[in-house]
Amino acid sequence: MTRDNSWLLSRLDRLWSSHFADVPQKNKVFIKFSRVSKFRFGSIRMHPRTKETLILINGKFKETSFPEEIVDHTIAHELVHYAHGFSSPNKKLHQYPHRGGVIEKELSERGLKHLSLAYKKWLKDYKKTLRSK
C-alpha cells in the first residue's frame, strides 16, 4: 500500500476507534504528511480561527523502510496530546504536555506499550545511523 495522506487517515481512524474511543472528537481533525525532518516526527496544532486540529507526520515516514509501528507511535503520541487538551478543545489536563512521562503512561494504559517499546528500540538504532553519516 502507498503511504499517502489517505493511508495516514486510516491509521489515525484505527488507533482512535480501538484505543482512544473514549476521547470525543470535538472539532475537525486532519492528518497529513509534512516536510522531512531528522528529529521532529510529529506535531499537533489547532488553527486559532477555525479551531480545526491538524496532525503533521514527518514526510520521511512515507518511506516503507520506516516501520509502521513508528508511524503508529507518532500518531498515538499526538492523539494523547489531543486527549490531554493540547491543540484541541478538550480540557487541558496538565500544565506541560510531556512532564513526568505522561505520554508513555497514557499509551501504556491504552494498551499501546508495544508501540513505545518498538519506538525506543528503533530510536536507538535511528540515532546510530545519523551518527554514522
Side-chain angles (χ1 to χ4, degrees), residues 3-5 8 30-45 54-63 71 74 78:
R3 289 189 181 184
D4 57 14
N5 291 335
L8 274 182
F30 300 94
I31 188 168
K32 68 178 192 174
F33 282 109
S34 65
R35 64 184 178 84
V36 170
S37 174
K38 280 185 185 178
F39 300 109
R40 183 175 213 132
F41 303 134
S43 65
I44 186 169
R45 60 184 68 146
L54 176 61
I55 298 172
L56 297 171
I57 303 299
N58 190 332
K60 269 187 177 223
F61 292 167
K62 285 182 182 179
E63 299 170 24
V71 178
T74 304
E78 302 310 329

Side-chain angles (χ1 to χ4, degrees), residues 50-117:
T50 65
K51 303 300 183 199
E52 296 171 340
T53 295
L54 176 61
I55 298 172
L56 297 171
I57 303 299
N58 190 332
K60 269 187 177 223
F61 292 167
K62 285 182 182 179
E63 299 170 24
T64 57
S65 60
F66 290 90
E68 286 185 2
E69 291 87 1
I70 304 314
V71 178
D72 286 349
H73 179 272
T74 304
I75 294 169
H77 179 112
E78 302 310 329
L79 276 176
V80 170
H81 287 314
Y82 184 89
H84 288 184
F86 293 94
S87 298
S88 82
N90 293 316
K91 182 178 183 272
K92 201 172 277 189
L93 300 181
H94 308 284
Q95 187 174 3
Y96 302 103
H98 294 102
R99 172 139 309 148
V102 295
I103 302 289
E104 297 307 316
K105 287 177 190 173
E106 182 87 17
L107 290 176
S108 184
E109 289 170 6
R110 292 183 176 277
L112 296 170
K113 188 173 181 82
H114 66 285
L115 292 180
S116 295
L117 295 173

Side-chain angles (χ1 to χ4, degrees), residues 11-25:
R11 306 304 289 183
L12 172 66
D13 287 343
R14 186 184 59 75
L15 283 165
W16 204 322
S17 63
S18 59
H19 297 281
F20 292 85
D22 62 311
V23 177
Q25 184 179 336

